[in-house]
């Protein structure tokens, strides 16, 4: 096979997906940034010419609380998911193979079921006349006037519920590869159980934790359905604002500008992760100096 | 404390489910010695080591270190360190950080850590590799990091779990010499687990041969090889011929006459005073047997038996013969002390004489159970496998 | 050395947490009561109400049409992408990989929004066609990843052996590569179909008024309908379909594992 031939074959198998994704993924993503600088037209379309009016308009609306809520809820969701996923993923990695298959299935299947239906199920559970409220009132943990649904904790709860499997699976995969003899070695060298966990186990599954963080944090930042269905009127996240601008206000440029901001926000943790994973040589050298 | 020593196991039993991995073991390791636990895989040697490290808790019995009962101490509170089988180096830490792990956990002052890490790096000749991550090291280098990482804590006892198993033959031999040198230098008590008799023989002051959770024999390497007390030990350490027979009569001077089917009368050393009529198993090591074309001159206590060569393998340093005596096949190793090409070599089918001194035979119990399978292994199989029984 | 008791306890709690809403939902679909706050007897009335609803049937039909279309297109594109990524190492493939991988991490909302902007900018009519394009776009990445994993699993010398035994290029593809890939392709197809059927956010952005799919219908029922228990019934039917699909895909992927 000549190099030329190989090249042609490569293009033949690459071009269909490359072309499709360039046209329907890369181009629209860039377009969103461009449209932020276009005026809105009254019929919900995109006007002609270039303008900074959209951005100026945005600066005038108080977005601060929405952004703060979005970041807060996403960060909390990520933290809670990690706190649950680290012990859970570790446990899954250590059980006997037969049990492991069953347990993994039990984790994955809810995640395969319709997302809307899972959110709906929580609406039922948290409903003022729903079972959870009755149980809580009976046990004395809530009084009859407590509002479970349409509150920020409810949004957080359902976000954790939705994203938890995304955190468990990568941590499980990393923990499965982790050599348990390292924990024994740490104990043997004088580290207590907690010390061994922090100094050896966590760094050992570090990549899994990082993947889990990204897998939860990024989609969490883009949450829209969850605050829409279980959050109260004052609990909008950035996603709700985007949908609002796009559908209720029919102002695509403003929706685009918000989307562009959200895209940048989603890119930030990815860039940070890339930085952490490929530790620059300066840090490595510093670490060496410290150890020696 | 019935047993004495620096590190003492007293009636230690550890069960996994119904299976007793370690079954009532009592043994005392002396201060400063290299003590090996030798046996096939699954014999309980690693479990015993892990009990000493605190990584397993015994179901019964106590463990004493320097007069202190350490049975219930967690691993981090024992002054005992382990060199793990696959090294278990921390992949996210450099060589120096790996070595500094123990001192940091113990909260040594920084200056002292730096000083000691440097000393250890020099001891294992890794000073120029200090900043590398374990994955960038060769097998032998990883091994040395593992040793340094354990030794820096100045343990009372260093536990080594098959430390050379992952290395190739050449490196294994070199590391064995290095381990010996390190032991001479630091003078710490070593407990060394291995399935390789060569390692155990070469390094140890004393060896405990283990089989199915129990200790079969404890002794200096030469004692274990020259005077195995059980059939298992005889077969596991080196190679041997087993001949089933019966004590016929006592001959005085601690000798007795044995009857083995197909053999003329055999004389054998009998210091344990086995009574006539007792069924025994005679063990004779192949290198103790001479082979010759001519009938050797009769001498006191020397057994001389006619045989026919069934197989011969030339191995440079020596030739391995398998000769047939009646229905038995007997392995005979003949060293080549002289220039071989001048001689007329013994070949397949030749009629020969084999001879051995009565002192070189050992009468052992006939075995039962799982060990019977071992005895049933035909001599050519035992001769063929390097260490007798494959681990 | 004793193991910490925490991981199993947390795992048990997590599993209860994951399954509790699903269990409650399933139970309520058979409950005569409206809000599921109390049990008023076993009933199939919500299933009957659901099956009589013409809008739901139309939404289901739309979902199936889009799902089948997006699955087939994304299978073709994704498999070709996987082969390209597997066989070639070049700057082009690094770009290709980044492009295939990114849709997996981009939030749905952003993908829906950007596609909406694109379709509006192009003046395209929003409808089942745009939904199909959008679904195919995110399915391609998933298909490519599943097939790529499958390709990396098998021994490249098999293909060389086939060539060595005299098979031509196309014979190798048809007689060796495709049969070996078949379980992977089936699993990828099933995944694509499930994702398409289940997608709400992206669909919501790019579907015109007439192009209601099942999740969009469910959403509007949740949001506006008083007929909540009918959603329960629908949910249970969808759960049952999901479980069947999961079972099928597991069988496909495990069939020829040693």
């Amino acid at each position: 096979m000549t190099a030329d031939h190989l090249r042609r074959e490569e293009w033949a198998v690459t071009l269909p997906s490359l072309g499709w994704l360039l046209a329907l993924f890369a181009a629209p993503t860039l377009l969103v940034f461009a449209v932020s600088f276009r005026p809105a037209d009254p019929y919900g379309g995109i006007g002609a010419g270039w303008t900074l009016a959209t951005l100026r308009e945005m600066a005038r609306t108080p977005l601060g609380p929405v952004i703060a809520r979005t970041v807060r809820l996403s960060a909390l969701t990520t933290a809670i998911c990690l706190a649950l996923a680290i012990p859970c993923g570790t446990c899954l990695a250590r059980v006997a193979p037969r049990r492991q298959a069953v347990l993994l299935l039990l984790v994955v299947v809810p995640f395969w079921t319709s997302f809307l239906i899972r959110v709906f199920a929580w609406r039922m559970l948290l409903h003022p006349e729903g079972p959870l409220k009755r149980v809580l009132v009976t046990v004395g943990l809530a009084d009859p006037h407590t509002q479970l649904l349409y509150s920020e904790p409810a949004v957080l709860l359902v976000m954790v519920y939705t994203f938890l499997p995304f955190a468990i699976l990568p941590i499980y995969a990393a923990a499965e590869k982790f050599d348990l003899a390292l924990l024994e070695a740490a104990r043997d060298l004088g580290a207590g159980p907690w010390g061994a966990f922090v100094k050896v186990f966590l760094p050992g599954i570090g990549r899994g934790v990082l993947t889990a963080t990204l897998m939860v944090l990024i989609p969490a930042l883009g949450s829209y359905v969850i605050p829409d269905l279980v959050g109260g009127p004052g609990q909008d996240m950035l996603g709700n604002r985007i949908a609002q601008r796009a559908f209720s206000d029919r102002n695509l440029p403003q929706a685009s500008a918000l989307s562009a901001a959200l895209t940048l926000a989603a890119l930030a943790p990815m860039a940070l992760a890339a930085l952490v994973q490929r530790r620059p040589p300066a840090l490595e050298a510093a670490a060496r100096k410290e150890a020696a | 404390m019935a047993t004495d020593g620096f590190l003492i196991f007293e009636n230690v039993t550890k069960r996994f489910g119904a299976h007793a991995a370690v079954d009532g073991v009592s043994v005392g390791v002396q201060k400063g010695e290299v003590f090996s636990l030798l046996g096939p895989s699954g014999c309980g040697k690693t479990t015993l080591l892990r009990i000493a490290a605190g990584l397993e808790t015994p179901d019964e019995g106590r463990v004493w270190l320097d007069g202190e009962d350490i049975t219930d101490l967690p691993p981090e509170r024992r002054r005992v360190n382990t060199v793990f089988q696959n090294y278990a180096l921390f992949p996210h830490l450099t060589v120096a950080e790996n070595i500094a792990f123990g001192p940091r956990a113990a909260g040594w002052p920084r200056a002292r850590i730096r000083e000691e890490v440097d000393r250890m790096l020099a001891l294992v000749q890794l000073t120029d590799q200090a900043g590398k991550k374990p994955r960038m090291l060769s097998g032998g280098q990883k091994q040395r990091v593992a040793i340094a990482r354990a030794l820096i804590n100045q343990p009372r006892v260093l536990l080594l779990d098959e430390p050379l198993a992952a290395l190739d033959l050449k490196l294994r031999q070199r590391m064995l010499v290095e381990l010996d040198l390190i032991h001479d230098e630091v003078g710490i008590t070593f407990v060394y687990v291995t399935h390789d008799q060569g390692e155990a023989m070469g390094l140890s002051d004393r060896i405990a041969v283990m089989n199915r959770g129990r200790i079969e024999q404890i002794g200096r390497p030469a004692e274990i090889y020259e005077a195995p007390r059980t059939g298992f030990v005889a077969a596991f350490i080196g190679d041997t011929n087993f001949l089933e027979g019966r004590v016929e009569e006592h001959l005085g001077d601690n000798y007795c006459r044995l009857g083995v089917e197909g053999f003329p009368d055999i004389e054998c050393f009998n210091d344990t005073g086995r009574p006539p009529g007792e069924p025994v198993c005679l063990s004779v090591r192949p290198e103790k047997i001479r082979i010759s074309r001519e009938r050797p001159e009769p001498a006191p206590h020397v057994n001389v038996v006619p045989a026919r060569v069934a197989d011969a393998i030339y191995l440079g340093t020596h030739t391995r013969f398998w000769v047939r005596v009646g229905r038995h096949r007997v392995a005979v190793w003949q060293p080549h002390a002289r220039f071989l090409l001048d001689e007329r070599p013994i070949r397949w089918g030749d009629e020969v004489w084999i001879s051995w001194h009565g002192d070189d035979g050992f009468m052992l119990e006939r075995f039962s159970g799982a060990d019977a399978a071992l005895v049933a292994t035909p001599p050519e199989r035992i001769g063929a496998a390097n260490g007798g029984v494959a681990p | 050395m004793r193991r910490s008791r925490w991981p199993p306890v947390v795992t048990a709690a997590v599993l209860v947490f994951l399954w509790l809403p699903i269990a409650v939902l399933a139970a309520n679909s058979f409950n005569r009561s409206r809000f599921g706050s109390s049990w008023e007897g076993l009933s199939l009335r919500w299933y009957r109400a659901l099956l009589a609803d013409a809008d739901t049937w139309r939404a289901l039909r739309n979902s199936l049409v889009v799902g089948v279309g997006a699955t087939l297109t994304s299978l073709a594109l994704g498999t070709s992408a996987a082969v390209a990524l597997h066989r070639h190492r070049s700057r082009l493939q690094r770009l290709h990989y980044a492009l295939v991988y990114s849709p997996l991490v981009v939030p749905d909302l952003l993908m829906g929004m950007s596609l909406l902007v694109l379709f509006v900018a192009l003046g395209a009519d929003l409808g089942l066609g745009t939904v199909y394009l959008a679904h195919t776009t995110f399915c391609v990445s998933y298909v490519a990843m599943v097939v790529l994993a499958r390709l990396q699993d098998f021994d490249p010398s098999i293909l060389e052996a086939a060539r060595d035994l005299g098979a031509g290029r196309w014979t190798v593809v048809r007689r060796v590569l495709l049969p070996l890939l078949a379980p992977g392709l089936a699993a990828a197809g099933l995944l694509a179909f499930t994702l398409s059927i289940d997608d709400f956010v992206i669909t919501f952005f790019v579907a015109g008024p007439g192009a209601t799919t099942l999740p969009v219908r469910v959403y509007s029922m949740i949001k506006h309908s008083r007929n909540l228990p009918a959603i329960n019934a629908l949910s249970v039917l969808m759960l049952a379909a999901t479980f069947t699909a999961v079972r099928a895909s597991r069988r496909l992927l495990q069939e020829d594992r040693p």
Side-chain angles (χ1 to χ4, degrees):
Chain A
M1 233 186 306
T2 64
D4 220 32
H5 195 112
L6 200 72
R7 193 87 187 133
R8 223 171 329 148
E9 189 193 285
E10 180 180 353
W11 275 103
V13 283
T14 308
L15 206 52
S17 48
L18 189 75
W20 185 289
L21 290 170
L22 278 175
L24 286 159
F25 177 72
T29 304
L30 295 176
L31 195 62
V32 162
F33 282 87
V35 168
S36 313
F37 300 97
R38 300 302 277 284
D41 92 357
Y43 309 104
I46 302 157
W50 299 94
T51 175
L52 287 174
T54 313
L55 297 185
R56 237 177 280 131
E57 180 70 26
M58 282 215 344
R60 240 178 289 134
T61 48
L63 271 177
V66 175
I67 291 172
R69 189 176 307 113
T70 305
V71 171
R72 180 174 65 238
L73 280 172
S74 304
L76 270 175
T77 301
T78 310
I80 296 172
C81 281
L82 287 180
L84 292 174
I86 289 170
C88 184
T90 309
C91 177
L92 286 176
R94 289 194 196 174
V95 295
R98 277 193 80 86
R99 261 189 160 179
Q100 189 179 57
V102 176
L103 287 176
L104 273 177
L105 207 60
L106 283 175
V107 170
V108 172
V109 170
F111 149 76
W112 274 66
T113 57
S114 166
F115 163 59
L116 273 181
I117 283 175
R118 280 176 287 149
V119 177
F120 171 67
W122 276 107
R123 265 172 73 102
M124 300 281 302
L125 265 171
L126 298 171
H127 195 274
E129 292 173 52
L132 201 60
K133 174 82 168 284
R134 286 168 73 99
V135 171
L136 287 179
V137 171
T138 315
V139 184
L141 278 171
D143 69 277
H145 305 293
T146 312
Q147 174 76 310
L148 293 179
L149 197 56
Y150 306 127
S151 66
E152 200 171 302
V155 176
L156 182 63
L157 178 76
V158 179
M159 280 175 74
V160 169
Y161 180 80
T162 305
F163 298 121
L164 189 53
F166 291 96
I168 292 176
L169 293 179
I171 286 173
Y172 153 75
E176 166 116 280
K177 280 189 221 122
F178 181 82
D179 179 8
L180 289 176
L182 293 180
L183 281 184
E184 295 188 342
R187 296 291 298 277
D188 184 76
L189 292 168
W194 178 248
F197 174 78
V198 172
K199 284 191 216 143
V200 176
F201 186 68
L202 280 187
I205 61 165
R207 284 184 84 95
V209 174
L210 194 68
T211 311
T213 306
L214 293 180
M215 296 274 281
V216 174
L217 184 59
I218 293 175
L221 284 169
S223 292
Y224 154 57
V225 175
I226 297 170
D228 186 49
L229 289 181
V230 300
Q235 265 107 41
D236 276 359
M237 288 173 69
L238 211 45
N240 305 76
R241 282 296 158 90
I242 294 175
Q244 225 172 63
R245 295 283 182 275
F247 299 118
S248 314
D249 309 349
R250 303 187 62 76
N251 188 330
L252 272 188
Q254 280 201 11
S256 293
L258 286 174
S259 297
L262 185 55
T263 307
L264 293 178
L267 279 175
M270 297 242 304
L272 210 65
L275 214 71
V276 172
Q277 275 189 326
R278 225 175 294 143
R279 226 163 39 141
L283 275 174
E284 194 102 24
R288 195 174 313 160
K289 216 171 283 162
E290 195 217 353
Chain B
M1 274 184 273
T3 326
D4 83 336
F6 187 61
L7 172 67
I8 298 165
F9 297 93
E10 188 188 344
N11 276 319
V12 169
T13 296
K14 175 72 186 178
R15 292 184 203 89
F16 294 110
H19 167 74
V22 173
D23 192 0
V25 166
S26 291
V27 58
V29 177
Q30 303 304 322
K31 189 167 186 170
E33 74 174 338
V34 177
F35 187 88
S36 286
L37 297 168
L38 174 64
S41 69
C43 71
K45 56 191 191 301
T46 294
T47 307
L48 197 59
L49 191 84
R50 289 169 60 82
I51 288 171
L55 301 170
E56 305 282 357
T57 317
D59 297 314
E60 288 162 31
R62 314 301 302 172
V63 185
W64 304 80
L65 177 63
D66 199 10
E68 183 195 1
D69 184 346
I70 60 165
T71 318
D72 299 316
L73 279 187
E76 65 269 23
R77 303 216 357 240
R78 301 181 179 206
R79 293 209 44 196
V80 161
N81 289 108
T82 309
V83 175
F84 288 82
Q85 182 161 8
N86 293 310
Y87 323 130
L89 299 182
F90 304 122
H92 60 293
L93 301 179
T94 63
V95 168
E97 289 167 333
N98 261 284
I99 296 174
F101 190 94
R104 280 184 185 169
W108 293 10
R110 279 171 154 273
R112 179 159 168 232
I113 293 178
R114 196 170 310 137
E115 195 178 304
E116 284 296 308
V117 167
D118 284 344
R119 208 169 65 81
M120 280 298 146
L121 284 168
L123 177 72
V124 296
Q125 300 160 37
L126 284 174
T127 306
D128 49 344
Q129 314 287 332
K132 283 192 182 166
K133 291 279 174 72
R135 72 185 128 79
M136 295 155 80
L137 302 180
S138 70
Q141 289 172 329
K142 285 183 194 166
Q143 179 58 69
R144 290 199 288 245
V145 177
I147 292 168
R149 186 179 71 172
L151 281 178
I152 194 171
N153 307 292
Q154 298 166 350
R156 305 269 179 92
V157 178
L158 182 69
L159 306 171
L160 301 106
D161 185 7
E162 302 265 10
L164 308 183
L167 304 177
D168 63 44
L169 184 64
K170 272 267 156 59
L171 206 51
R172 211 148 65 212
Q173 288 167 347
R174 222 182 66 205
M175 284 304 299
L176 205 58
V177 175
E178 276 184 40
L179 271 178
D180 207 13
L181 290 175
I182 289 172
H183 179 254
D184 288 348
E185 173 128 4
V186 297
I188 291 172
T189 311
F190 278 25
V191 176
Y192 190 96
V193 159
T194 182
H195 67 267
D196 185 308
Q197 45 158 321
E199 284 174 25
M201 294 264 183
L203 196 63
S204 316
D205 296 307
R206 288 193 304 150
I207 297 173
V209 182
M210 288 189 72
N211 182 31
R212 289 188 282 138
R214 294 168 177 276
I215 291 181
E216 296 254 337
Q217 187 171 356
I218 300 178
R220 288 181 291 113
E223 275 170 15
I224 293 214
Y225 186 81
E226 297 287 341
R229 219 176 290 142
T230 67
F232 175 82
V233 175
F236 189 74
I237 314 289
D239 299 86
T240 195
N241 294 293
F242 284 119
L243 300 167
E244 288 196 356
R246 200 174 283 278
V247 177
E248 298 281 342
E249 68 173 315
H250 286 266
L251 294 173
D253 283 351
N254 281 337
Y255 286 89
C256 72
R257 189 158 58 76
L258 279 180
V260 175
E261 193 202 327
F263 280 76
D265 284 348
I266 290 173
E267 233 179 276
C268 185
F269 190 62
N270 180 30
D271 63 339
T272 47
R274 292 181 192 274
E278 187 176 293
V280 293
C281 196
L282 175 67
S283 156
V284 190
R285 297 214 180 262
E287 78 276 13
K288 307 281 191 198
I289 306 178
R290 291 288 151 82
I291 187 167
S292 59
R293 239 177 249 291
E294 315 301 330
R295 182 178 182 144
E297 290 300 311
H301 308 309
V302 173
N303 300 296
V304 175
V305 179
R308 177 191 292 274
V309 176
D311 244 320
I313 298 177
Y314 172 73
L315 288 170
T317 56
H318 65 286
T319 299
R320 293 188 175 183
F321 293 99
W322 282 270
V323 301
R324 204 163 269 291
V325 179
R327 61 175 186 88
H328 300 277
R329 276 166 70 93
V330 178
V332 179
W333 296 355
Q334 175 85 338
H336 303 146
R338 304 257 309 276
F339 187 61
L340 188 75
L341 297 182
D342 286 352
E343 293 173 17
R344 203 183 92 207
I346 296 170
R347 290 179 192 287
W348 177 84
D350 286 354
E351 299 283 348
V352 292
W353 295 89
I354 58 172
S355 60
W356 72 92
H357 195 277
D359 289 354
D360 290 330
F362 284 91
M363 289 187 297
L364 308 164
E365 307 274 342
R366 290 218 188 145
F367 329 121
S368 57
D371 289 336
L374 195 101
V375 181
T377 315
E380 62 263 44
R381 286 276 316 285
I382 292 178
N386 206 12
V389 176
Chain C
M1 203 171 80
R2 279 171 196 85
R3 276 191 188 162
S4 166
R5 239 173 287 107
W6 277 108
V9 171
V10 174
T11 306
V14 161
L15 287 177
V16 170
F17 177 55
L18 288 179
W19 283 90
L20 179 72
I22 293 173
V24 169
L25 194 70
N28 265 336
S29 77
F30 298 102
N31 189 351
R32 194 181 293 275
S33 151
R34 199 167 247 298
F35 289 107
S37 49
S38 59
W39 187 257
E40 291 177 13
L42 195 68
S43 162
L44 288 176
R45 73 184 257 212
W46 306 118
Y47 286 87
R48 276 195 292 274
L50 177 73
L51 295 180
D53 182 37
D55 285 348
T56 307
W57 282 105
R58 204 172 310 120
L60 177 64
R61 194 193 62 94
N62 285 343
S63 273
L64 290 177
V65 168
V66 170
V68 169
T71 301
L72 292 178
T73 316
S74 63
L75 260 182
L77 292 171
T79 305
S80 149
V83 170
L85 291 170
H86 183 63
R87 293 200 45 164
H88 303 280
R89 297 271 172 280
S90 61
R91 304 250 302 264
L92 176 66
Q93 293 311 325
R94 282 174 65 176
L95 170 74
H96 190 200
Y97 185 80
L99 213 48
V100 170
Y101 186 79
S102 305
L104 298 176
V105 287
V106 167
D108 297 357
L109 176 86
L110 288 178
M111 202 154 166
M113 182 60 211
S114 62
L115 282 165
L116 171 67
V117 170
L118 177 78
F119 293 142
V120 169
L122 294 175
D125 279 335
L126 297 183
L128 281 188
T130 48
V131 174
Y132 155 78
L133 289 176
H135 282 202
T136 304
T137 306
F138 67 77
C139 287
V140 167
S141 302
Y142 286 94
V143 170
M145 288 300 153
V146 171
V147 177
L148 186 60
R150 182 83 195 167
L151 279 170
Q152 280 162 350
D153 259 4
F154 70 66
D155 183 358
S157 59
I158 288 174
L159 299 185
E160 285 163 12
R163 297 298 290 270
D164 181 67
L165 293 169
R169 182 181 294 269
W170 273 109
T171 320
V172 171
V173 169
R174 209 159 39 87
R175 302 280 299 277
V176 183
L177 192 60
L178 280 181
L180 278 173
L181 272 185
L185 289 178
L190 210 54
L191 178 65
F193 187 72
T194 315
L195 288 168
S196 166
I197 286 279
D198 187 35
D199 177 73
F200 165 70
V201 176
I202 296 173
T203 314
F204 190 61
F205 274 83
V206 299
T212 302
T213 61
L214 203 52
V216 176
R217 169 86 187 127
V218 171
Y219 179 77
S220 73
M221 279 164 89
I222 295 173
K223 232 11 207 185
H224 311 296
S225 163
R226 300 283 90 211
N227 210 9
L228 289 177
I231 311 173
N232 284 347
L234 181 61
S235 310
V236 171
L237 293 179
M238 286 174 75
L239 283 177
T242 313
F243 292 162
T244 316
V246 172
R247 266 192 74 94
S249 78
R250 281 176 57 82
R251 288 186 89 127
L252 285 170
L253 282 176
Q254 282 173 348
E255 206 163 51
D256 55 347
R257 290 260 165 87

